[in-house]
Amino acid sequence: MSPQPRDQSIAVVIIDDEALVRQGLTLILEAAPDLTVVGAGDGTEALDLVRDCRPQVVLLDIRMPQVDGLTVLRELSALPDPPHVIMLTTFDMDDYVRTALDLGAAGYLLKDTDPEQLPQYVHTAAGGGVVLAPMPARRMREAVREGGTDHEAVARIAQLTEREREVLVRLAHGDSNTEISRQLLLSVGTVKDHVSAILAKLSVSGRVPAALLAERAGILRTETTR
């Protein structure tokens, strides 16, 4: 299969206060044939870069000295057509994870994520999927589980049909609509309809809150033990 033309590639903007980090991430992503870094800068430049470059995905450092990542995320989320934002950090901090996800981030990665996996995470986010790297996802889920299964979450999940539940499980594992359609033998349009119905029934604003609700209800643990 021939490489995807650059003009059809996924556009990425990198926001980090350290120039070496920006350069390193750029080298990793530009090595993928269908990813293009169209801009890079620090928190003070973020909004202008995204407005000018119109990326599909933004890699955003959560801790920056002048304008922090959570502030930038709020600004990006308010844009008419916001990009998918993956938060980056050196530390695994549950409070920051929850805040970023509540603000609409597509996911959360540690800066020491395996470079070979990073392009796939970008693909997942660009396709509307949930991006949770193994380490922060595990710790966040442990925190969610501290009080056992959330019975309010169980009641909300009970509103779903069996097919919607299957779609939710795949969504919570980070699969895009296209990947879900292949796995469940459904059209992409049907998957989109199911996702819309799931978000409405669960009264959540997006895929990440839906995934966390599924975790709180215990259905991901149930699926992995079947």
Side-chain angles (χ1 to χ4, degrees):
M1 181 180 294
S2 60
Q4 186 173 352
R6 281 286 176 176
D7 59 1
Q8 296 178 19
S9 64
I10 296 170
V12 182
V13 160
I14 298 169
I15 303 298
D16 194 290
D17 64 301
E18 297 183 34
L20 284 176
V21 173
R22 297 196 298 266
Q23 292 169 6
L25 291 173
T26 297
L27 288 173
I28 292 169
L29 296 179
E30 286 281 345
D34 52 1
L35 300 178
T36 302
V37 176
V38 294
D42 61 23
T44 63
E45 304 167 291
L47 193 57
D48 287 338
L49 274 172
V50 170
R51 283 173 171 164
D52 293 342
C53 300
R54 301 176 63 84
Q56 288 120 299
V57 176
V58 173
L59 299 183
L60 174 60
D61 186 11
I62 205 166
R63 280 200 167 193
M64 295 180 288
Q66 292 179 293
V67 181
D68 69 90
L70 295 179
T71 298
V72 172
L73 179 59
R74 289 185 181 95
E75 294 174 341
L76 298 184
S77 298
L79 292 174
D81 186 18
H84 302 286
V85 180
I86 302 174
M87 306 304 295
L88 297 174
T89 187
T90 306
F91 307 101
D92 180 11
M93 299 168 290
D94 287 343
D95 287 344
Y96 280 86
V97 172
R98 293 192 183 96
T99 301
L101 298 182
D102 287 344
L103 290 173
Y108 187 92
L109 298 176
L110 296 180
K111 285 188 178 180
D112 61 359
T113 295
D114 185 346
E116 293 185 0
Q117 295 180 354
L118 186 58
Q120 183 54 50
Y121 286 127
V122 172
H123 278 277
T124 297
V130 176
V131 177
L132 295 176
M135 182 60 73
R138 178 179 61 79
R139 293 187 183 173
M140 180 178 60
R141 288 169 178 168
E142 285 173 356
V144 167
R145 294 173 185 170
E146 284 178 355
T149 299
D150 184 324
H151 296 290
E152 188 268 341
V154 170
R156 289 165 72 179
I157 296 293
Q159 301 176 76
L160 304 181
T161 66
E162 184 61 29
R163 179 61 86 184
E164 288 167 350
R165 180 185 170 114
E166 291 175 340
V167 171
L168 176 60
V169 169
R170 298 317 319 158
L171 178 158
H173 282 104
D175 295 337
S176 67
N177 288 347
T178 301
E179 290 168 332
I180 295 171
S181 73
R182 287 199 298 264
Q183 291 162 354
L184 300 183
L185 303 179
L186 301 170
S187 71
V188 174
T190 298
V191 172
K192 289 180 179 178
D193 289 342
H194 282 312
V195 171
S196 296
I198 290 166
L199 300 185
K201 288 182 178 181
L202 299 183
S203 299
V204 294
S205 59
R207 298 169 79 99
V208 174
L212 296 181
L213 191 66
E215 181 62 50
R216 285 166 47 200
I219 68 170
L220 303 187
R221 302 193 293 278
T222 301
E223 291 294 329
T224 55
T225 57
R226 284 184 178 180

